[in-house]
Structure formats: C-alpha cells, structure tokens
Amino acid sequence: MVFDSPRGAHPPASPTASAEAAAARDGGAGPAARRLMVVFNPTAGGNRRRRLMKTLRHLDAHGCAVTLRETAKPGDAEVFAMEASAKDCDVVVIAGGDGTINEAINGISRGTGEVALGIIPLGTANVLAHEIGLSIRPAKVAKALAEGPIRRIHLGEADGRKFMLMAGAGFDAEVVEHVNLKLKRLIGKGAYILEMLRQSRAYGFPTLHVTAEDTGETRQAATAVALNGRHYGGPYRVVSDGGLSSASLDMVLLKRKGMFNVIRYATGLATGRLARFSDVEVLRGTAFSIDGGNDEPVQGDGDIIARLPTRMHVADETIEVVFPQA
C-alpha cells in the first residue's frame, strides 16, 4: 500500500532539485522541502499507529512530501530501503524499532547509497533515538525529520550483516533468541526481563573466546557485546565517548556467569556503573573474532543475525542519518 500525504508526492528530482536537497542537507539557503518515504509495520499496536499519524500531520505542516509504505512480512523494510533512490525520495524513514532500522541500514548499504535514514521511534527500546538524542514526541520527531542535520555515520558488521548499534554473543544473544514476541508486544521491555531471569537459570554459559584483531589479544567472557554506539537496551549509556561517528567498536566483556552476576550486571547497566566493574572489560578496536559454544546465536540490534563463530568489525560502508537539531 502506498499513501501520499495531502500535499502529494514530488516529481523525480531534477539536477536543480537535487542541488536544493543538498543545500537542505548542509543547512544552506533556500532548502527544498524533504521528500520522505515512511516505512511502517501495520500490525503495530494502536498507540504506535496514533503516534505515527500525529507525526505525519506535523510533517505535512512542515511541507514535507510523504509516501507511506506498509510492510507485509519480515524483510520488506530492507527491500524498500534498497530500492529507494534520490530521484524518488531524500530520506527513508523507519517508523518502528531498532530491529526494523537494522533491516533498513542493510537495504540502504546494498542500494544506491543516495538516500539518508530517518526514524520515527516506535519500538520497545528505541536505542538509536537515545543515541542521537531524538525525542519520541511527534512534533519534535517531525521537526527533526524536516529540518535536522544529516550526518554520515559508521556501521558495524557481523558475518556480512550490518548493525547500527550493537552486536552480542553469549547470554545477551540467548535472551534475544528466546524472548516471547507476543509477550514483547504486550509488555515491552518486561518480556526481556522475564526471559533474562529464565535464561539465567537455564543457560549453560559457555566460555567465549574474544580476540582483538588489532592487537592479537584474546580474552574470555560469558557475554561479549560490540557497541557501535554508546547505549545499550534503551537510555543506558555504557561508554562515555566513541559512538556512531567513530570508526571503531567497543567490545564489552562481561566475565562472570550465573544468575547473581546477570542481576548484578543489569543493575550496573541501569545505574551507569557497568563499565567500572572490575570483572567488566572494554576493548576498543576495529575488528574482533568470537568463538565458543556450539552454534550459539549472535544478535545485532535486537535480532539474531549470525551464529558463532563470528567476526565483528567496522563495515566498509557508511550511511547518512537525520539527527535532531542541537
């Protein structure tokens, strides 16, 4: 289904229109209104749809030309993003969560590379929104999409699959693989907490062997999470610097096993003290290899994207993302 905003869709961009769009991206004079392709999962709950429609009304007031494309199955967002080109739109906007954003960055990186990524945060954790400082209020989201600066950021990659925010192996990925999706839709983050408690009793905690390829150093851990940003799980900041603009990953190693330590690490994350724990180590680098366990899952941005052994590294591709105004 394709829905055009009341202002309609712009015609294919001419060289002059492209120059005006470029001026808009750089904050120059006389910017053209942005053309946005908004991708939305129609099975999302009523409150999410209401927030989306409010945002679309604000975008119309800003003069943006909006095309709404609804997904029918997993992978559609990736296809839509891959097919997008500058002659049709300036920004592919994901109205959803971090998992759908992951689909989009993989699509954009395989496509023409001529379009930027924007978000309307409607997910469970909305980690990217926290990372770039974007409010979830429809009016502020619309203002950012219509007028915010566009910046080029780095991506991570694991076994050929790009990730925007983080990729993890061990206990972290086991929870992601087994979380009850129906319960997630009902209670959001609570579903992850329940699955975390369940897995802390049932999971075997195989030892992971993590090698930093830049230095050749190898460490052992119960959980290993490569951060491309600074946040994990929502508003919880793990590292103070680095982030999406840095061509590096922060490999966070949680070294102890068992339910007690799972709860202790979760508390450290929520209070901002995790990286200061004596049994937590953060290695910064451009590439890491991880082995351990037998075909254990690897999660990227909250979805399973690979199995162990794996290699996580800074991707060759970069993409442009719409940020809120400072």
Side-chain angles (χ1 to χ4, degrees), residues 214 247-249 284-288 311-314:
D214 296 342
S248 63
L249 300 174
R284 179 162 291 177
T286 61
F288 300 87
R311 180 174 184 265
M312 300 177 184
H313 61 96
V314 176

Side-chain angles (χ1 to χ4, degrees), residues 42-288:
T43 64
N47 183 54
R48 288 181 171 89
R49 182 176 283 276
R50 284 190 292 273
R51 283 166 52 197
L52 169 64
M53 299 313 293
K54 287 182 180 179
T55 305
L56 294 183
R57 287 194 289 272
H58 286 294
L59 286 170
D60 185 62
H62 281 284
C64 294
V66 178
T67 300
L68 179 64
R69 299 198 68 179
E70 296 187 345
T71 61
K73 60 184 182 302
D76 277 354
E78 183 168 343
V79 173
F80 295 164
M82 181 179 66
E83 293 174 345
S85 70
K87 64 183 180 182
D88 301 315
C89 70
D90 303 309
V91 183
V92 174
V93 179
I94 296 302
D98 296 310
T100 311
I101 293 169
N102 181 273
E103 285 192 25
I105 64 169
N106 279 276
I108 290 173
S109 65
R110 291 167 51 204
T112 64
E114 298 172 341
V115 296
L117 173 74
I119 62 169
I120 299 174
L122 301 176
T124 302
N126 296 317
V127 182
L128 179 57
H130 290 290
E131 185 70 28
I132 66 176
L134 179 64
S135 167
I136 65 170
R137 293 173 57 189
K140 291 191 174 183
V141 172
K143 184 173 178 61
L145 291 172
E147 303 174 0
I150 296 180
R151 299 171 183 163
R152 188 162 291 278
I153 66 149
H154 292 274
L155 301 173
E157 184 173 331
D159 288 1
R161 189 74 183 171
K162 308 296 188 299
F163 59 91
M164 170 77 84
L165 299 159
M166 85 292 288
F171 183 78
D172 157 83
E174 194 73 10
V175 170
V176 168
E177 183 168 57
H178 292 97
V179 69
N180 186 307
L181 297 181
K182 290 183 178 179
L183 193 61
K184 177 185 171 183
R185 283 192 288 270
L186 287 173
I187 64 173
K189 290 183 183 179
Y192 286 100
I193 295 172
L194 291 175
E195 188 60 32
M196 181 186 74
L197 294 174
R198 191 179 77 84
Q199 289 296 335
S200 68
R201 298 172 64 106
Y203 185 52
F205 288 95
T207 298
L208 304 180
H209 303 274
V210 182
T211 300
E213 296 184 7
D214 296 342
T215 64
E217 296 176 282
T218 297
R219 300 285 193 273
Q220 293 184 347
T223 294
V225 179
L227 296 179
N228 189 45
R230 296 163 298 168
H231 292 77
Y232 179 91
Y236 311 115
R237 182 177 292 193
V238 180
V239 294
S240 58
D241 59 352
L244 300 174
S245 62
S246 174
S248 63
L249 300 174
D250 286 308
M251 180 62 74
V252 182
L253 305 176
L254 311 183
K255 298 187 176 181
R256 295 188 182 177
K257 307 176 181 182
M259 176 183 283
F260 172 78
N261 289 303
V262 165
I263 296 172
R264 190 168 60 87
Y265 290 142
T267 302
L269 176 67
T271 58
R273 298 182 295 112
L274 181 64
R276 299 200 293 270
F277 285 7
S278 61
D279 55 346
V280 173
E281 187 174 6
V282 180
L283 304 176
R284 179 162 291 177
T286 61
F288 300 87

Side-chain angles (χ1 to χ4, degrees), residues 311-326:
R311 180 174 184 265
M312 300 177 184
H313 61 96
V314 176
D316 293 333
E317 299 85 353
T318 58
I319 66 169
E320 291 184 321
V321 173
V322 181
F323 279 65
Q325 296 90 334

